[in-house]
Amino acid sequence: MTEQIDIFSLGNEQTIPVSNSEIEVEELSYVSSKFMSWEELFSGYEDIKVITFSSGINFTYKLLDMFETAEVIFGCENVLSGAEKNIIAYQTMLIQELQKNESKLHNRILNRIDDGTAHFYISRTKLSHEKLYLLSSKNGNKRVVGGSANMSFNAFSGKQRERIYFIDGEDAYEHYLNVFEELKKDSTDEIANEVLLVEDINNNPDKLPIARTVSKEKIVYVERTESKDVRFILETKNLADNIEPMLPKTKKPGKLINLTAETFNIVKRKMIEDNLRKSELRSEYPELIVNIENKEVELNGKKYNLNPNDEDVTNDVNLFMEYMNGYRDFHGDSVGMQYRYFEFANWFFVSPFMAQLRDMAASNDINLLPYPVFGLLYGQSKAGKTTFLETLLKMMIGQKPKMSAPDFTRKDIDRLKRAVKGSPIIVDDMTQVRFTQHAIETIKNDMFGVSEHLKNYPAIVISANEDVKAVAPEIVRRTIICRVEAGLTNTEVMKSSLVKKVQKNIGTAFYEKYLAEMIPVVEECLEQMKDETLESPDILKESSIVIKRIIESYYKKPLPDYIRELSLADYFSEKVTGKYAIKTIQNAWRTSRKQFEIDKRKNELRYNAGQSYDAERIKKELPENLEIRKSREWLIMNLEEAKKYFEIEFKKSILDLFTK
């Protein structure tokens, strides 16, 4: 959740820290206000010097291309807290961002760094809050541009509120030039051309700007600060946390930290080892990254096709429907199985968007529970659970990797969630013991990725057999649960060729079509979250609408009832989460009323579950308003509430009294 500020506490003088320090205040004179484009604002000068918190790389390159000489100091508020781990993390992330651009402007900037007409610096120690642009020309004209605008298209396009001012003249320019030169001299590292040409900066941390400074100056002093205004964003914070344990431990924490060449040798070795482990994980678990802003999807670094051939979509839709219709031949509640499996498939397909939705929800004080990132599929054996999950994953990424249950621990899952992107991780054949020991705490860690603003971590999908008897309410609220009660005989399993046929011939076209239609939907949902007057978007409903629409368009047969529009209530209403307890009580009332005792005077319904563990299982699935309590194998609950919940009058006949 984001921090809230109590505006009334600002009036309490005791909460305001006393300080004898002074701040520099600049006195300006107002002349006028006018409208102009950013090109007009910066035109007519040959040299530019910039201090910026953060930037848009494309805008940076386009702006600098207007000038013969340029110097830029990056000092991002989101990453600078003075700690050495944050410096290494930020410099790594900025280099990677600079390397992503492959435009002609990018190549021209590289050449200009080479010939010395452009210089990039990264702030290392002092936390600079300036957004400053110093312009000068050969004819002596000088201009200072300041205000709130970072170096990006959004800031200078008029799309967002910014305060931008300019001051022309020698005096203002010389004053702010001193500010620029002081920051550059005392607290920055220069980005050399060779750094931007390094293929993988993660494997070459000794090429980072700060490493070059350490190598040149032998030792660098880093000032530690503890500013609560500093917030880490995206992977930068994540990388900083990963780097922290790689750094040598200091005996006495103090204000100054010494960074030496020896320190960097240790960090370099550990970063390379960590990057190798992550590469191994990524090769086993593919990366699926959805970029909402650019309306692009990458699978293992390659652009995903969001305009699939209609013939391929038709093929995939019909194979999927053939697969789903095949459950009609299962023994038991096969109809219910189709309904449950479609619900689970709907969540499975939308899961790569959940991290971004959770990040936006947390930023706007919205409940995270409607955006679950855990799924549990369990029930009797030979219900096709594993092959169902494999088929869904094959439709998403063309592969079907799984993680075996013995490898599942909270530590391993957290590590995987940080290393793997987007594509759900399937944990196969979980036992009750391992689920209790490891899965429960993992699922309850509801704030994973929130403080780091992680936007691409995967959902965790657990399959288990019937021995996972019941799930506690705190897990039910955070998990998409699918319990199936149908299956095949051993002989039928061995004879069935449907799974093999579908998995061999189905492709990713259905899912490609789905992503293309879902990206603008999710974009709208993210915007909706920013408006506190609107309800939180139901992404599960939106996803089901898209899936149903695609199937209707490409499946030429009548649509089965289980392909339908869903909502959050289909997953988390009290009747849904307690449906197996409801079924148990209803069956018992119909076939064995001697298990019940009714006390109208006390307004109590008592039910004998037979065994203490069965009573506990049922109790976990029932809502709080039943006021349920357990005594050995007995469950005691509110009679009137039980009548409404179970839809039973609970009246015993004369015959019941004689047969008791």
Side-chain angles (χ1 to χ4, degrees):
M1 302 293 284
T2 53
E3 291 183 1
Q4 296 292 309
I5 298 175
D6 182 356
I7 60 173
F8 297 105
S9 68
L10 301 180
N12 183 353
E13 293 185 359
Q14 292 180 349
T15 66
I16 302 174
V18 178
S19 174
N20 295 322
S21 63
E22 296 179 337
I23 58 172
E24 183 178 12
V25 179
E26 294 151 348
E27 182 178 358
L28 306 176
S29 296
Y30 177 77
V31 178
S32 66
S33 176
K34 61 182 73 176
F35 288 92
M36 62 175 69
S37 67
W38 68 267
E39 290 94 343
E40 291 175 298
L41 180 64
F42 288 103
S43 291
Y45 303 89
E46 289 82 41
D47 178 75
I48 184 170
K49 303 181 193 306
V50 180
I51 300 174
T52 180
F53 265 175
S54 56
S55 65
I57 298 303
N58 289 327
F59 181 80
T60 298
Y61 286 165
K62 192 165 185 177
L63 177 61
L64 300 193
D65 200 50
M66 295 173 58
F67 298 88
E68 294 178 9
T69 54
E71 294 180 88
V72 179
I73 298 175
F74 296 100
C76 181
E77 65 171 334
N78 295 313
V79 296
L80 283 177
S81 69
E84 63 275 30
K85 64 171 183 174
N86 304 327
I87 296 165
I88 297 170
Y90 178 43
Q91 294 196 358
T92 301
M93 296 302 299
L94 182 61
I95 297 301
Q96 289 175 338
E97 191 64 29
L98 288 167
Q99 289 173 330
K100 285 180 183 177
N101 193 297
E102 298 177 356
S103 64
K104 292 179 181 178
L105 286 174
H106 171 72
N107 294 329
R108 285 211 291 272
I109 287 294
L110 290 178
N111 292 333
R112 292 183 60 184
I113 292 175
D114 248 358
D115 64 27
T117 60
H119 297 271
F120 287 166
Y121 303 92
I122 307 181
S123 185
R124 182 195 333 120
T125 55
K126 292 185 179 178
L127 181 57
S128 173
H129 281 262
E130 293 114 326
K131 287 96 167 180
L132 192 62
Y133 307 82
L134 308 179
L135 317 177
S136 64
S137 64
K138 294 173 184 176
N139 62 14
N141 290 338
K142 292 182 171 62
R143 169 173 288 181
V144 176
V145 178
S148 62
N150 282 307
M151 192 163 50
S152 68
F153 278 116
N154 283 342
F156 282 99
S157 65
K159 291 181 179 179
Q160 57 194 40
R161 287 184 62 87
E162 299 284 359
R163 292 292 93 195
I164 301 172
Y165 65 79
F166 71 86
I167 311 170
D168 290 334
E170 182 80 26
D171 291 343
Y173 184 89
E174 290 301 321
H175 169 74
Y176 287 106
L177 180 62
N178 289 333
V179 172
F180 179 90
E181 294 295 343
E182 180 185 354
L183 181 62
K184 185 177 81 171
K185 176 184 175 183
D186 294 342
S187 61
T188 57
D189 303 307
E190 185 167 7
I191 302 174
N193 196 351
E194 64 184 69
V195 181
L196 298 179
L197 296 174
V198 172
E199 186 172 343
D200 186 355
I201 194 64
N202 280 304
N203 281 327
N204 295 275
D206 55 333
K207 302 295 185 185
L208 288 171
I210 191 171
R212 296 175 69 251
T213 303
V214 170
S215 176
K216 187 191 304 181
E217 300 182 12
K218 304 304 179 189
I219 189 167
V220 172
Y221 297 100
V222 180
E223 181 180 359
R224 279 192 178 275
T225 63
E226 295 182 0
S227 171
K228 290 185 179 179
D229 295 330
V230 178
R231 289 186 179 161
F232 295 88
I233 60 169
L234 306 177
E235 290 89 349
T236 306
K237 172 66 166 64
N238 185 24
L239 181 57
D241 288 344
N242 286 344
I243 290 171
E244 184 172 26
M246 302 178 189
L247 292 163
K249 298 294 184 287
T250 54
K251 293 181 180 178
K252 293 183 179 180
K255 280 286 183 183
L256 294 178
I257 304 296
N258 297 346
L259 287 181
T260 65
E262 182 182 3
T263 301
F264 259 91
N265 284 335
I266 295 170
V267 174
K268 174 186 175 182
R269 176 175 54 81
K270 292 183 177 180
M271 282 184 72
I272 292 173
E273 291 173 357
D274 186 62
N275 196 48
L276 178 61
R277 283 194 297 270
K278 288 179 179 177
S279 295
E280 291 172 351
L281 284 174
R282 284 191 285 268
S283 66
E284 188 175 352
Y285 299 97
E287 284 192 344
L288 183 70
I289 299 177
V290 181
N291 189 318
I292 300 293
E293 185 177 355
N294 295 338
K295 295 179 172 57
E296 293 178 345
V297 180
E298 286 187 1
L299 179 62
N300 297 332
K302 295 181 180 179
K303 294 283 176 62
Y304 212 67
N305 177 23
L306 297 183
N307 188 26
N309 184 289
D310 281 345
E311 186 178 337
D312 293 335
V313 179
T314 300
N315 174 73
D316 289 358
V317 166
N318 281 274
L319 282 171
F320 176 69
M321 292 305 299
E322 184 179 357
Y323 188 88
M324 290 293 293
N325 290 335
Y327 289 118
R328 289 176 303 198
D329 299 328
F330 280 51
H331 307 289
D333 185 14
S334 58
V335 174
M337 186 182 215
Q338 290 175 313
Y339 276 78
R340 303 295 83 75
Y341 273 174
F342 177 72
E343 292 163 6
F344 203 82
N346 180 53
W347 167 78
F348 196 95
F349 284 163
V350 80
S351 67
F353 294 101
M354 288 301 187
Q356 296 186 58
L357 291 161
R358 289 167 67 85
D359 176 68
M360 183 62 75
S363 298
N364 291 278
D365 293 326
I366 295 172
N367 196 327
L368 300 181
L369 295 180
Y371 311 104
V373 287
F374 286 92
L376 172 63
L377 175 57
Y378 75 113
Q380 66 188 65
S381 62
K382 295 184 283 296
K385 298 184 295 296
T386 299
T387 53
F388 173 65
L389 296 177
E390 287 177 346
T391 303
L392 295 182
L393 202 55
K394 182 83 166 23
M395 293 172 69
M396 288 179 68
I397 60 174
Q399 303 173 54
K400 46 183 184 179
K402 298 191 300 293
M403 178 183 189
S404 63
D407 295 330
F408 183 102
T409 65
R410 176 172 177 175
K411 183 178 179 181
D412 287 338
I413 285 297
D414 279 2
R415 179 168 53 84
L416 273 170
K417 287 171 74 175
R418 293 181 185 280
V420 179
K421 305 293 173 68
S423 175
I425 297 172
I426 297 173
V427 185
D428 195 31
D429 204 18
M430 180 76 74
T431 63
Q432 175 72 55
V433 172
R434 184 161 289 275
F435 184 84
T436 302
Q437 290 177 344
H438 299 284
I440 290 177
E441 285 306 312
T442 303
I443 295 170
K444 286 168 66 176
N445 180 21
D446 205 34
M447 300 305 288
F448 175 88
V450 169
S451 62
E452 301 101 317
H453 293 278
L454 299 184
K455 295 184 178 180
N456 278 300
Y457 54 86
I460 304 298
V461 184
I462 299 169
S463 75
N465 284 329
E466 190 66 32
D467 63 341
V468 177
K469 293 291 184 184
V471 185
E474 63 268 25
I475 302 303
V476 170
R477 289 194 296 269
R478 295 172 170 87
T479 309
I480 297 295
I481 295 178
C482 175
R483 181 176 175 181
V484 291
E485 295 183 297
L488 295 174
T489 66
N490 289 334
T491 305
E492 288 168 334
V493 170
M494 288 186 280
K495 287 183 177 180
S496 176
S497 60
L498 178 60
V499 172
K500 183 178 180 181
K501 172 192 170 183
V502 171
Q503 291 191 355
K504 180 181 178 181
N505 295 294
I506 203 164
T508 57
F510 184 170
Y511 196 63
E512 290 164 358
K513 185 74 174 176
Y514 169 82
L515 287 174
E517 295 197 20
M518 275 302 295
I519 286 174
V521 172
V522 174
E523 186 176 33
E524 187 176 334
C525 289
L526 292 171
E527 287 300 313
Q528 185 177 331
M529 286 179 169
K530 297 176 185 178
D531 190 339
E532 62 182 15
T533 65
L534 300 176
E535 288 187 3
S536 300
D538 186 342
I539 195 62
L540 294 166
K541 176 181 178 180
E542 299 297 338
S543 174
S544 68
I545 292 172
V546 169
I547 292 175
K548 184 172 181 283
R549 183 167 64 238
I550 293 172
I551 294 175
E552 280 178 329
S553 300
Y554 292 90
Y555 186 62
K556 301 311 177 186
K557 297 178 182 179
L559 221 58
D561 291 341
Y562 63 83
I563 303 294
R564 66 205 192 280
E565 182 179 318
L566 300 167
S567 71
L568 198 63
D570 289 298
Y571 294 87
F572 294 109
S573 73
E574 291 173 344
K575 286 293 183 76
V576 171
T577 57
K579 60 188 168 190
Y580 295 103
I582 294 172
K583 186 176 179 180
T584 299
I585 297 294
Q586 288 176 340
N587 286 341
W589 179 256
R590 186 171 60 251
T591 61
S592 182
R593 296 191 182 183
K594 64 183 179 181
Q595 292 177 255
F596 294 86
E597 292 182 358
I598 300 167
D599 190 331
K600 291 184 178 180
R601 185 176 58 82
K602 291 185 177 180
N603 190 32
E604 284 185 353
L605 173 69
R606 299 170 188 165
Y607 168 68
N608 189 324
Q611 299 290 338
S612 179
Y613 63 80
D614 284 329
E616 183 63 29
R617 175 178 61 84
I618 294 170
K619 179 176 181 290
K620 285 182 177 180
E621 293 187 10
L622 296 177
E624 288 80 358
N625 66 312
L626 290 182
E627 302 172 11
I628 193 164
R629 60 190 190 276
K630 174 178 169 289
S631 176
R632 297 193 299 275
E633 69 274 21
W634 284 91
L635 292 176
I636 303 98
M637 62 194 86
N638 183 298
L639 175 61
E640 291 303 317
E641 291 296 330
K643 287 179 180 180
K644 291 183 284 187
Y645 185 75
F646 296 109
E647 297 179 353
I648 299 173
E649 276 301 309
F650 292 113
K651 292 181 179 178
K652 289 198 174 185
S653 66
I654 298 296
L655 182 60
D656 292 329
L657 297 176
F658 283 106
T659 58
K660 184 175 178 180

